[in-house]
Amino acid sequence: MVGPKARRLAALHLVERHQISERRASKVLGLQRSTARYKPKPRDDSHLIERMQFLARNHRRFGLPRLHYLLKREGTVRAKSRTERVYRSLGLQLNKRRRKKMMAVTRVRFESATKPNEIWSFDFVSDRTETDRKLKSLTIVDDCSKRTPGIFADYSITSKDMIQFFESLENLPAKLRCDNGPEMTSREFLAWAHNRKIEIEYIQPGKPIQNAFIESFNSRFR
């Protein structure tokens, strides 16, 4: 099916090339004359492009849905179709092919915690029970005191389970540091952290050393 834009261009071609009237060209193509005369108004996407590139650099594993959620939350965009159009024009689609080597990225130095409950690092640890059933544990470490605010274990842990566990703790930190797992990047978890005014700091993909405190704890926890 030919859209209005293509028919409008075809009508313009008939008028200019074959010297026929606009009325006749519109009638032949089944096009409204108002549509034939319509001139698209270019939209200024410079601010949206700047914000999308910034978010894509800081969240390398965020695809279109999560980027649109962040942009919509900050009021930069409303319609998902506009986000998708700019997203595709910038070529930000995630590569689903597995690579043997991770893409080289600039080394990032994260700030250190200076007081308790300032930065918490957390991650998941997987194991199996005696009956060979998978067991998943959510471990947390305070980067300053090196203490564990809590550990949550279950056969399956979703982002909602993770939020409920954090809410059950006595205190919450100013910042959470974690990897780019699906539970950590879910829209439910992002919305909860935003409402709680907690900053989420993601480490770079393939760089577990950037979350060294929780990695060290998990090696002993196993």
Side-chain angles (χ1 to χ4, degrees):
M1 182 179 293
V2 180
K5 181 179 179 180
R7 285 187 288 176
R8 186 169 61 250
L9 293 175
L12 181 63
H13 174 76
L14 290 176
V15 172
E16 293 180 350
R17 185 70 179 270
H18 300 282
Q19 301 297 319
I20 65 175
S21 66
E22 181 187 88
R23 183 190 299 272
R24 185 178 178 185
S26 300
K27 186 176 181 180
V28 170
L29 296 171
L31 186 67
Q32 294 289 336
R33 295 186 65 187
S34 58
T35 305
R37 295 175 179 176
Y38 174 76
K39 294 183 179 180
K41 298 178 181 179
R43 177 176 289 179
D44 184 13
D45 292 325
S46 57
H47 179 61
L48 175 58
I49 291 173
E50 181 182 353
R51 289 298 302 157
M52 187 176 294
Q53 289 177 332
F54 174 80
L55 292 173
R57 284 195 302 269
N58 287 274
H59 306 284
R60 292 181 177 273
R61 296 307 302 169
F62 276 27
L64 174 62
R66 291 188 177 94
L67 287 177
H68 174 69
Y69 171 78
L70 294 177
L71 291 167
K72 186 177 181 180
R73 189 179 69 184
E74 66 184 27
T76 304
V77 70
R78 290 186 178 181
K80 189 176 181 180
S81 58
R82 185 184 176 196
T83 306
E84 183 176 3
R85 174 174 55 81
V86 176
Y87 179 82
R88 295 188 182 280
S89 67
L90 294 175
L92 297 177
Q93 295 92 328
L94 295 178
N95 190 355
K96 296 182 179 180
R97 294 178 59 187
R98 294 184 179 181
R99 297 184 178 183
K100 294 182 179 179
K101 294 183 179 180
M102 298 298 295
M103 180 177 60
V105 293
T106 306
R107 181 172 295 181
V108 178
R109 182 179 179 85
F110 294 109
E111 62 177 321
S112 302
T114 57
K115 58 184 179 180
N117 296 328
E118 183 179 10
I119 302 175
W120 287 3
S121 300
F122 72 100
D123 199 1
F124 288 106
V125 180
S126 296
D127 205 341
R128 289 192 176 275
T129 63
E130 293 182 353
T131 58
D132 200 35
R133 188 173 180 181
K134 187 176 180 180
L135 184 67
K136 197 172 185 179
S137 301
L138 171 63
T139 56
I140 311 172
V141 168
D142 189 311
D143 286 15
C144 180
S145 65
K146 307 300 185 294
R147 293 185 176 182
T148 304
I151 298 175
F152 176 62
D154 204 341
Y155 295 115
S156 175
I157 301 178
T158 64
S159 57
K160 292 182 180 179
D161 298 329
M162 191 167 61
I163 292 171
Q164 291 178 358
F165 174 64
F166 275 113
E167 287 290 346
S168 67
L169 299 177
E170 184 177 355
N171 298 308
L172 288 174
K175 180 185 294 186
L176 286 169
R177 183 175 294 158
C178 58
D179 58 24
N180 296 267
E183 297 87 359
M184 291 80 155
T185 57
S186 66
R187 278 175 281 187
E188 292 86 355
F189 186 67
L190 291 174
W192 171 80
H194 177 72
N195 294 332
R196 279 293 197 169
K197 301 187 184 305
I198 299 175
E199 181 184 353
I200 303 178
E201 188 174 61
Y202 294 101
I203 65 173
Q204 294 172 288
K207 301 287 185 180
I209 191 64
Q210 294 178 350
N211 211 2
F213 292 122
I214 194 64
E215 293 294 335
S216 175
F217 174 82
N218 287 342
S219 65
R220 298 190 298 271
F221 176 71
R222 288 190 179 95

